[in-house]
């Protein structure tokens, strides 16, 4: 019971505190009645919006692909994206390392929620507390992959992803920084990203195997 | 651009192949010899991976009768007008020139398993240490009474891509207004489970445009088929009223044809049709049978760990021709199996490292413009068979953006797999 009393205090989302956190965003993003697209898109009416759909903003191919694949902005996806943008969208234009403090994130989300057209209509399924932590464990990122093993495993990738770096319809995966590669595959493995083929492929890859693939593809020239 | 390069190299292949063929027979006694029969998704991939990864330690010969290989996958998109014919054709130029594979354009007509040689139609014999057979499918004689290959001009199967596909497309386009296109669908198991139904979609797409009162009749011996709910939803949405399917409940499993009069007898009811696409029951490509590695099912049983024949330890069978367990007969599957097999063959011949087998498959189908769907699964080798571990399928009611993305993804996959096969 004592614990139950303590929880709301921790999970309370404070838009006023969120406005302070937003200072880390506003060199690129605007929000409010007079907002327009700058380096990043306008953040009004964000909740329930399909990723990559703000009119007039030129998104990265990866953001457009995720949007077409079903990525929508809800508290859980926003939380993951703000924590580490590359978890959800590998080559997003948002060059931002992320906000690691979960309280800051939930306050920021509460702040942004005020600019959604009808916050009362946000589906109840959208949790106010985000229970997940999609960013990749540093220990996993620290694994050194065996490129020879990666070369063998890559056969499963190259049926679809072209080794010469061609990216019509299916993204290129050559020449990536291992941290981005590993982050992306773990996001599929943990189902933070939706693509069913990639969820299936990643599901049976161990942490070592993902590191091996990252080590192999890193050195394939585009 | 890519096709031009391929086409240009293709002109060179013929020469390279003819010149190198006699050399195969005599030269390089010291090196282990791998012979691959069939240059499709299984054969081209396994030849390329063995040549690529063995650093010249293994001699690889690829026997394939056609100089330009037309992929069965995406041939329906050619019928539907989404691809031109040249775009599904591939030459063996890069495999010969860049990977050092001896590409021999000839028919394999026999295998002497004791002498370990493959007999070619031209009369020569090619010796092997390990033989990989990847011949695709042939049709079961008498599967559709009244039809045999001599009737394939009147009633094309178009289930091996090439001139048959062109013929079927021409017949569809020449149909009289309000005419009937009929398909006799195959029983399980057969190449490309969603293939007949994607084809129906593509035929409907063409007819809706040039012949909107035409009808499509599917005569099907199977009670259900791959991605059925998705196809039926799509047909209702895009081609309402055009497509009728007669399943086994209504005699779809009791069909015979009369190519001379363009008639189909469905359980005693005779229908006159304008185009009839007969896709008969299938078995392993004939050379597998001639090699004696098929069983009473007509397919070639293999070990799930490396696709090695259960009948002969020096022979491996890939793709459609193999009986391996749960994987569907598809180009993607054959390509996946080829890479596991290549690793196994290299290990046996040169002691290279091996890792546990892992297989996967995805089949994309196009229903109408920008309306793509997919089904896929991953597999592992158990003692008994290649067993499915997990899978997924597109859902009914998906939005247009996702379906368009799925189609675009299939176009990307085509570029990926053909690069993986042909270099």
């Amino acid at each position: 019971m004592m614990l139950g009393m303590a929880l709301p205090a921790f999970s309370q989302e404070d838009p006023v505190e969120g406005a302070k956190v937003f200072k880390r965003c506003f060199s690129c993003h605007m929000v409010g009645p007079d907002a327009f697209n700058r380096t990043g898109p306008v953040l009004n009416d964000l909740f329930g919006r399909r990723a990559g759909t703000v009119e007039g903003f030129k998104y990265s191919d990866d953001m457009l692909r995720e949007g077409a694949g079903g990525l929508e902005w809800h508290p859980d996806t926003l939380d993951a994206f703000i924590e580490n943008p590359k978890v959800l969208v590998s080559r997003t234009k948002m060059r931002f390392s992320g906000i690691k403090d979960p309280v800051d994130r939930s306050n920021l989300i509460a702040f942004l929620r005020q600019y959604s057209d009808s916050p009362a209509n946000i589906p109840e399924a959208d949790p106010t507390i985000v229970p997940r932590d999609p960013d990749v464990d540093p220990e996993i990122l620290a694994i050194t992959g065996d490129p020879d093993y990666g070369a063998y495993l890559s056969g499963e990738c190259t049926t679809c992803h072209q080794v010469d770096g061609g990216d019509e319809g299916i993204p290129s995966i050559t020449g990536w920084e291992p941290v981005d590669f590993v982050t992306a595959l773990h996001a599929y493995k943990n189902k933070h990203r939706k693509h069913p083929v990639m969820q299936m492929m990643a599901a049976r890859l161990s942490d070592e195997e993902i590191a091996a693939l990252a080590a192999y593809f890193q050195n394939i020239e585009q | 651009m890519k096709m031009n390069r391929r086409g240009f190299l293709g002109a060179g292949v013929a020469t390279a192949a003819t010149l190198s063929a006699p050399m195969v027979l005599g030269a390089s006694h010291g090196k282990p010899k791998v012979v691959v029969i069939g240059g499709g998704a299984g054969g081209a991939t396994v030849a390329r991976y063995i040549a690529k990864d063995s650093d010249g330690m293994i001699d690889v010969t690829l026997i394939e009768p056609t100089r330009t290989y037309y992929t069965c996958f995406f041939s329906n998109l050619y019928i539907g007008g989404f691809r031109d014919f040249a775009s599904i054709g591939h030459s063996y130029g890069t495999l010969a020139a860049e990977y050092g594979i001896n590409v021999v354009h000839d028919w394999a007509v026999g295998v002497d398993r004791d002498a370990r040689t493959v007999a070619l139609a031209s009369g020569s014999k090619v010796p092997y240490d390990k033989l990989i057979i990847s011949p695709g499918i042939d049709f079961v004689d008498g599967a559709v009474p009244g039809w045999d290959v001599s009737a394939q001009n009147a009633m094309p199967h178009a289930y091996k891509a090439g001139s048959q596909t062109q013929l079927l497309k021409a017949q569809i386009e020449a149909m009289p207004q309000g005419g009937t296109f009929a398909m006799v669908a195959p029983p399980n198991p057969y190449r490309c489970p969603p293939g007949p139904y994607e084809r129906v979609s593509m035929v409907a797409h063409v007819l809706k445009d040039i012949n909107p009162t035409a009808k499509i009749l599917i005569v099907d011996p199977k009670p259900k088929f791959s991605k059925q709910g998705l196809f039926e939803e799509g047909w209702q949405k895009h081609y309402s009223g055009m497509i009728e399917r007669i399943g086994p409940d209504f005699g779809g499993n009791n069909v015979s044809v009369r190519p001379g009069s363009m008639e189909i007898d469905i359980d005693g009811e005779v229908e006159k049709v304008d185009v009839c696409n007969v896709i008969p029951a299938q078995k392993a490509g004939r050379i597998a049978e001639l090699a004696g590695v098929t069983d009473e099912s007509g397919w070639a049983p293999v070990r799930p760990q490396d696709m090695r024949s259960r009948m002969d330890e020096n022979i491996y069978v890939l793709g459609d021709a193999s009986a391996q367990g749960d994987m569907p007969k598809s180009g993607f599957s054959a390509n996946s199996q080829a890479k596991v097999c290549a690793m196994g063959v290299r290990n046996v011949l040169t002691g290279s490292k091996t890792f546990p087998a892992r297989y996967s498959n995805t089949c994309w189908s196009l229903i109408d413009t920008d309306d793509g769907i997919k089904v896929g699964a991953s597999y592992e080798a158990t003692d008994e068979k290649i067993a499915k571990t997990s899978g997924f399928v597109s859902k009914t009611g998906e939005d247009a953006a996702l379906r368009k993305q799925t189609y675009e993804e299939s176009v990307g996959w085509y570029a990926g797999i053909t690069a993986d096969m042909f270099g």
Side-chain angles (χ1 to χ4, degrees):
Chain A
M1 285 311 285
M2 288 305 288
L3 197 62
M5 297 289 284
L7 265 175
F10 173 75
S11 65
Q12 193 66 50
E13 295 161 335
D14 183 344
V16 178
E17 286 300 311
K20 296 178 192 163
V21 181
F22 188 71
K23 289 179 180 167
R24 295 164 69 177
C25 317
F26 74 23
S27 62
C28 298
H29 288 285
M30 294 179 79
V31 70
D34 302 321
F36 50 89
N37 292 331
R38 295 177 61 196
T39 310
V42 168
L43 297 178
N44 295 335
D45 299 327
L46 186 55
F47 290 80
R49 184 163 96 197
R50 188 68 82 94
T53 54
V54 169
E55 198 133 330
F57 187 76
K58 194 161 165 30
Y59 290 94
S60 64
D61 288 349
D62 280 18
M63 183 66 85
L64 294 173
R65 190 178 280 123
E66 291 300 329
L71 176 61
E72 288 182 358
W73 297 123
H74 297 284
D76 57 343
T77 51
L78 270 175
D79 186 70
F81 190 71
I82 296 166
E83 182 181 9
N84 178 358
K86 287 179 171 178
V87 165
L88 292 188
V89 187
S90 289
R91 300 194 159 188
T92 174
K93 286 183 169 174
M94 183 152 125
R95 295 191 181 278
F96 180 61
S97 59
I99 296 173
K100 302 305 173 192
D101 181 343
V103 177
D104 281 353
R105 291 200 303 273
S106 73
N107 288 339
L108 176 60
I109 289 167
F111 167 75
L112 291 172
R113 236 173 161 156
Q114 298 176 315
Y115 298 92
S116 211
D117 220 359
S118 48
N121 292 340
I122 294 168
E124 287 177 9
D126 279 358
T128 50
I129 304 169
V130 180
R132 299 184 304 174
D133 183 19
D135 206 2
V136 184
D137 188 332
E139 281 180 29
I140 290 175
L141 288 174
I143 298 170
T144 306
D146 170 5
D148 288 345
Y149 190 27
Y152 162 66
L153 294 169
S154 74
E156 282 211 293
C157 313
T158 55
T159 302
C160 300
H161 296 276
Q162 296 177 64
V163 195
D164 68 4
D167 64 352
E168 42 171 330
I170 290 181
S172 164
I173 54 171
T174 59
W176 285 35
E177 284 302 318
V179 57
D180 295 345
F181 195 101
V182 170
T183 299
L185 275 178
H186 280 280
Y188 288 118
K189 188 177 166 78
N190 297 322
K191 307 205 187 304
H192 299 309
R193 291 201 198 182
K194 297 183 83 147
H195 197 273
V197 179
M198 285 308 304
Q199 282 189 359
M200 181 186 81
M201 300 309 276
R204 64 170 170 177
L205 291 169
S206 68
D207 297 348
E208 286 71 24
E209 287 168 336
I210 288 173
L213 283 166
Y216 171 74
F217 279 112
Q218 176 188 17
N219 292 317
I220 304 291
E221 284 182 17
Q222 277 180 290
Chain B
M1 200 60 192
K2 225 169 196 173
M3 276 313 299
N4 286 341
R5 185 175 69 96
R6 288 209 172 106
F8 170 70
L9 284 168
V13 196
T15 330
T18 332
L19 288 178
S20 62
M23 290 166 59
V24 179
L25 310 182
S28 60
H29 271 288
K31 284 190 202 172
K33 294 179 177 62
V34 169
V35 173
V36 181
I37 300 175
T45 307
V46 80
R48 178 168 166 269
Y49 270 74
I50 292 175
K52 170 170 82 71
D53 294 337
S54 68
D55 294 325
M57 302 265 287
I58 298 175
D59 254 5
V60 182
T61 297
L62 177 63
I63 301 169
E64 163 59 44
T66 65
R67 288 170 193 277
T68 301
Y69 182 86
Y70 291 95
T71 57
C72 239
F73 45 95
F74 271 36
S75 66
N76 284 331
L77 272 60
Y78 158 71
I79 290 173
F82 291 90
R83 299 287 287 214
D84 64 33
F85 196 59
S87 79
I88 61 166
H90 304 270
S91 86
Y92 295 90
T94 308
L95 291 184
E98 288 181 27
Y99 294 89
I101 295 167
N102 301 306
V103 181
V104 178
H105 291 302
D106 202 342
W107 284 94
V109 294
V111 175
D112 183 334
R113 282 163 47 183
D114 295 325
R116 296 212 302 254
T117 57
V118 176
L120 301 180
S122 61
S124 25
K125 284 186 165 34
V126 187
Y128 66 83
D129 294 302
K130 299 293 172 193
L131 173 64
I132 301 167
I133 305 181
S134 188
I137 51 144
D138 266 310
F139 301 117
V140 173
D141 289 340
V144 177
W147 191 92
D148 61 40
V149 287
S150 72
Q152 71 176 11
N153 279 3
M155 294 187 171
H157 55 78
Y159 229 60
K160 299 175 187 181
S163 55
Q164 276 277 300
T165 323
Q166 292 178 297
L167 176 64
L168 184 64
K169 183 174 170 67
Q171 290 180 352
I172 292 161
E173 288 168 355
M175 265 171 66
Q177 289 298 310
T180 300
F181 169 94
M183 169 187 283
V184 178
N188 291 320
Y190 61 95
R191 160 179 285 182
C192 189
Y197 310 97
E198 180 187 58
R199 175 169 296 171
V200 162
S201 308
M202 292 296 94
V203 173
H205 173 79
V206 170
L207 293 177
K208 185 177 159 185
D209 194 28
I210 61 170
N211 192 347
T213 54
K215 295 282 177 213
I216 296 175
L217 178 65
I218 309 167
V219 185
D220 202 333
K222 303 182 292 299
K224 54 191 172 77
F225 60 87
S226 171
K227 297 189 261 196
Q228 183 163 358
L230 293 161
F231 278 115
E232 289 177 346
E233 177 194 53
W235 294 345
Q236 183 64 37
K237 180 177 173 193
H238 302 293
Y239 315 117
S240 182
M242 187 181 257
I243 300 166
E244 183 192 356
R245 176 172 170 270
I246 299 175
D249 290 354
F250 295 91
N253 56 350
N254 180 24
V255 62
S256 62
V257 295
R258 297 167 201 162
S261 54
M262 288 304 288
E263 289 173 319
I264 316 182
D265 182 324
I266 307 158
D267 210 22
E269 299 266 341
V270 176
E271 291 266 351
K272 177 104 170 73
V273 301
D274 299 288
V275 177
C276 189
N277 177 203
V278 176
I279 310 174
Q282 296 161 26
K283 60 180 182 178
R286 185 155 163 71
I287 189 67
E289 193 178 317
L290 293 173
V293 294
T294 56
D295 64 16
E296 66 286 344
S297 72
W299 307 100
V302 295
R303 299 198 320 175
Q305 294 77 16
D306 55 5
M307 306 301 290
R308 196 172 89 188
S309 167
R310 290 192 188 273
M311 317 258 186
D312 186 326
E313 64 171 13
N314 294 314
I315 296 181
Y316 297 74
V317 184
L318 298 179
D320 296 351
S322 65
Q324 32 69 22
D326 295 348
M327 294 183 82
K329 299 184 185 302
S330 74
F332 196 127
S333 291
N335 171 270
S336 171
Q337 293 160 7
K339 292 174 216 178
V340 173
C341 176
M343 176 181 65
V345 168
R346 286 196 302 118
N347 170 258
V348 171
L349 294 177
T350 65
S352 63
K353 265 206 264 188
T354 57
F355 301 101
R358 47 205 309 154
Y359 302 99
S360 55
N361 176 64
T362 301
C363 290
W364 287 266
S365 303
L366 186 61
I367 301 177
D368 197 352
T369 307
D370 289 337
D371 192 357
I373 54 174
K374 62 188 169 187
V375 59
S378 56
Y379 304 85
E380 64 185 10
T382 65
D383 288 342
E384 179 206 353
K385 63 173 184 177
I386 296 181
K388 180 174 166 178
T389 52
S390 68
F392 64 86
V393 61
S394 295
K395 296 177 179 60
T396 52
E398 287 172 342
D399 68 23
L402 181 54
R403 290 296 179 85
K404 180 167 190 279
Q405 188 196 39
T406 301
Y407 168 63
E408 287 168 355
E409 190 178 278
S410 75
V411 174
W413 163 76
Y414 187 89
I417 190 174
T418 51
D420 208 34
M421 291 163 64
F422 299 105

